[in-house]
Amino acid sequence: MSFKPANNIQDLQYFGEFGGVNPSISDSSTYTFLSAKTMFDTFEGNADGCYLYSRHSSPSNLYLGEALAAMEGTETANVAASGMGAITPVLLQLCQAGDHIVSSRTIYGGTYAFLKNFIPRMNIQTTFVDITKLEAVEAAINKNTKVLYCESISNPLLEVADIPALTKIAKKHNLKLVVDNTFSPLCISPAILGADIVIHSLTKFINGSSDTVGGVVCGTQKFINDLRNVNNGACMLLGSTMDSLRSASVLKNLRTLHIRMKQHSKNALYLAQKFESDGLKTVYPGLKSHPSHELFKSMMHADYGFGGMLTIDVGSLEKANELMELMQNNNLGYLAVSLGFYKTLFSAPGTSTSSEIPEHEQKEMGLSDGLIRFSIGLDDDIERTYHMMNSCMKQLNILV
Ligand code: PLP
């Protein structure tokens, strides 16, 4: 694939107000105008390059948005205060009362809860499907369907969406394909593969330092303008705006994403292979045993690997909890939700990030009690980490 997402980030050039190598931070919520007429024109969207009010846009947010658009290969992007602050306005912008969404059933618990419990209040219904079964996806579409929603690699089951095939279905039925790419930045470029809108929680790999929440919507200029419209734009009116100081710091972290993703992926592949050969039930898209291993390979930018997320199943919640506590006591990572940190993070999704999904539905989708989700860190000596994890597992009789 000739599209090079990290080059696109690298090739952006910035000059700060005083010639700084970082753009100056726009630490203002409002902006002055030399003439009242220009203020009016800006309100109407007719004064390019003028800033009005920072909920609408700010120079710092635009810099970060443009860098993320360059990474995803979309015309532009709009940053938001959180991943959910990006996902919810997109769906509300695309759907009206009476509309219908087809969504993957294995998605982040917050997104699932929004679709299942919240958006029906606006008379927007969702059918949840196994996104790997393309016939089921197509069969769920009805005359009111407007959106096809999925994650490139799903949270927490690490199912892989066939983005080119879903694009075809979306085009055939005139739907917007919205892809949450939070688990696989740089590894997969959904828009290049045909998705209409790409979303990230910046909270995770992209920022990478677990010090803020943030989100982004990458799409066409027309769609991003719609989201920002002062009269009916969901981002503008729902107000989930990122602060300029934060967008400046996320932009700085974005510049090392390619180095971090390579290391996350290298470490995750190493551990996944070791865990699997030890006899643990291991799920990682980089393993040949993953049902979508070949599909992932056909979509990925090989340089960045298969991502930093893997799961193991240790049989019961009790064992999972014991193992996570022991690993934390041995300083192998943190028992914490979220992902993309320099240290490994682990949690049992059934009782944490996916707890919004009712137990019987968790079972149906294969989310078992003993599942531990790992976000593998940047450890320089992953062999040492493996040996320490292995001895924790032996201590708890998970491995003999
Ligand atoms: N999308 C995915 C795949 C996630 O894992 C998360 C959070 O865990 C979100 C979206 C929501 O992001 P945020 O917590 O930044 O709102």
Side-chain angles (χ1 to χ4, degrees), residues 9 37 67 75 173 188 193 227 249 259 266 313 355 377 384:
I9 299 171
K37 163 90 170 62
E75 283 174 20
H173 296 274
I188 292 183
L193 296 167
L227 285 172
S249 72
I259 303 169
K266 178 173 154 245
D313 192 334
S355 58
R384 178 185 74 149

Side-chain angles (χ1 to χ4, degrees), residues 82-84 87 108 151 155 180 182-183 201 203-204 214:
S82 69
M84 287 308 290
I87 293 165
Y108 167 58
E151 295 172 359
N155 183 0
D180 178 338
T182 299
F183 275 28
S201 164
T203 317
K204 312 293 161 45

Side-chain angles (χ1 to χ4, degrees), residues 113-231:
F114 179 72
L115 291 170
K116 179 101 196 284
N117 308 326
F118 195 94
I119 210 173
R121 293 186 202 178
M122 286 115 196
N123 193 21
I124 298 167
Q125 308 299 332
T126 301
T127 303
F128 293 97
V129 294
D130 179 342
I131 203 73
T132 64
K133 303 246 173 344
L134 296 171
E135 329 75 63
V137 172
E138 197 155 13
I141 295 168
N142 66 38
K143 64 178 181 6
N144 297 324
T145 310
K146 294 286 174 340
V147 171
L148 186 49
Y149 185 90
C150 66
E151 295 172 359
S152 349
I153 311 178
S154 77
N155 183 0
L157 294 181
L158 310 183
E159 288 176 348
V160 177
D162 185 340
I163 297 169
L166 293 170
T167 299
K168 271 197 201 136
I169 295 176
K171 288 221 178 337
K172 180 172 158 198
H173 296 274
N174 200 21
L175 317 179
K176 294 286 180 217
L177 176 61
V178 180
V179 179
D180 178 338
N181 197 29
T182 299
F183 275 28
S184 44
L186 298 181
C187 307
I188 292 183
S189 298
I192 299 301
L193 296 167
D196 296 290
I197 294 158
V198 183
I199 296 177
H200 284 275
S201 164
L202 302 176
T203 317
K204 312 293 161 45
F205 289 105
I206 289 180
N207 186 55
S209 50
S210 291
D211 56 3
T212 188
V213 287
V216 70
V217 181
C218 304
T220 61
Q221 188 69 55
K222 155 102 183 52
F223 183 65
I224 299 300
N225 286 350
D226 287 351
L227 285 172
R228 289 187 186 141
N229 188 296
V230 290
N231 292 307

Side-chain angles (χ1 to χ4, degrees), residues 6-277:
N7 284 1
N8 293 353
I9 299 171
Q10 175 90 34
D11 290 348
L12 294 168
Q13 192 179 44
Y14 301 98
F15 295 106
E17 198 178 350
F18 305 104
V21 294
N22 287 305
S24 308
I25 300 173
S26 52
D27 194 19
S28 292
S29 58
T30 188
Y31 302 81
T32 56
F33 288 84
L34 293 179
S35 89
K37 163 90 170 62
T38 323
M39 180 186 269
F40 176 75
D41 288 345
T42 307
F43 246 108
E44 296 286 295
N46 299 328
D48 255 8
C50 287
Y51 296 95
L52 179 78
Y53 184 63
S54 285
R55 176 155 47 79
H56 197 192
S57 68
S58 71
S60 297
N61 287 7
L62 291 189
Y63 281 128
L64 177 59
E66 291 316 309
L68 291 162
M71 179 182 87
E72 288 297 358
T74 58
E75 283 174 20
T76 189
N78 192 55
V79 297
S82 69
M84 287 308 290
I87 293 165
T88 54
V90 165
L91 296 173
L92 290 170
Q93 193 74 35
L94 293 174
C95 296
Q96 315 255 355
D99 286 346
H100 174 250
I101 296 169
V102 174
S103 169
S104 166
R105 62 183 186 176
T106 68
I107 48 174
Y108 167 58
T111 313
Y112 181 87
F114 179 72
L115 291 170
K116 179 101 196 284
N117 308 326
F118 195 94
I119 210 173
R121 293 186 202 178
M122 286 115 196
N123 193 21
I124 298 167
Q125 308 299 332
T126 301
T127 303
F128 293 97
V129 294
D130 179 342
I131 203 73
T132 64
K133 303 246 173 344
L134 296 171
E135 329 75 63
V137 172
E138 197 155 13
I141 295 168
N142 66 38
K143 64 178 181 6
N144 297 324
T145 310
K146 294 286 174 340
V147 171
L148 186 49
Y149 185 90
C150 66
E151 295 172 359
S152 349
I153 311 178
S154 77
N155 183 0
L157 294 181
L158 310 183
E159 288 176 348
V160 177
D162 185 340
I163 297 169
L166 293 170
T167 299
K168 271 197 201 136
I169 295 176
K171 288 221 178 337
K172 180 172 158 198
H173 296 274
N174 200 21
L175 317 179
K176 294 286 180 217
L177 176 61
V178 180
V179 179
D180 178 338
N181 197 29
T182 299
F183 275 28
S184 44
L186 298 181
C187 307
I188 292 183
S189 298
I192 299 301
L193 296 167
D196 296 290
I197 294 158
V198 183
I199 296 177
H200 284 275
S201 164
L202 302 176
T203 317
K204 312 293 161 45
F205 289 105
I206 289 180
N207 186 55
S209 50
S210 291
D211 56 3
T212 188
V213 287
V216 70
V217 181
C218 304
T220 61
Q221 188 69 55
K222 155 102 183 52
F223 183 65
I224 299 300
N225 286 350
D226 287 351
L227 285 172
R228 289 187 186 141
N229 188 296
V230 290
N231 292 307
N232 53 21
C235 281
M236 183 66 179
L237 299 176
L238 296 173
S240 170
T241 305
M242 180 176 268
D243 181 73
S244 289
L245 292 172
R246 273 306 182 192
S247 52
S249 72
V250 176
L251 179 63
K252 286 172 213 157
N253 289 353
L254 175 67
R255 295 164 182 166
T256 57
L257 180 65
H258 57 297
I259 303 169
R260 290 185 279 114
M261 284 315 293
K262 285 179 189 175
Q263 189 73 7
H264 284 299
S265 292
K266 178 173 154 245
N267 287 352
L269 180 62
Y270 180 88
L271 287 180
Q273 285 170 338
K274 287 287 189 188
F275 290 160
E276 187 171 60
S277 69

